[in-house]
Amino acid sequence: EANAYVYRAYLDGSTIPTVLTALCSGAVSPFACSAPLPPLVTGTHTVQVTAAVVLPDGRSAESAKSAVFTFRLFAAPGAPTQLRIVPAL
């Protein structure tokens, strides 16, 4: 079952992974999984994902990294400040 795996994200070429809290659904493969990424600054980023299982002796066996996925994060506009409404003449 897909929920039994530990998913790791390698962000922006990092060799140290971020452990993801993934939620997966489906009874058979392919499973649909989603997981939030940690906070990122605006701009272009890359991510590679792996799946790992914890072995009975406590070690883990990790898959090969996925293909690189490149994405761009945009900042949401903030609320306007010093807004002034001018009546039409």
Side-chain angles (χ1 to χ4, degrees):
E1 180 175 306
N3 284 315
Y5 291 103
V6 174
Y7 296 94
R8 299 176 179 145
Y10 293 84
L11 293 161
D12 300 326
S14 175
T15 57
I16 300 171
T18 298
V19 176
L20 302 175
T21 303
L23 295 174
C24 301
S25 62
V28 295
S29 181
F31 300 98
C33 298
S34 64
L37 291 174
L40 299 169
V41 297
T42 55
T44 302
H45 298 277
T46 61
V47 65
Q48 288 180 282
V49 179
T50 64
V53 292
V54 178
L55 302 171
D57 64 4
R59 294 179 300 137
S60 66
E62 186 173 14
S63 71
K65 292 178 182 175
S66 68
V68 175
F69 178 74
T70 302
F71 63 98
R72 184 162 177 82
L73 182 66
F74 293 92
T81 59
Q82 299 185 13
L83 184 65
R84 198 175 74 176
I85 299 174
V86 179
L89 300 175

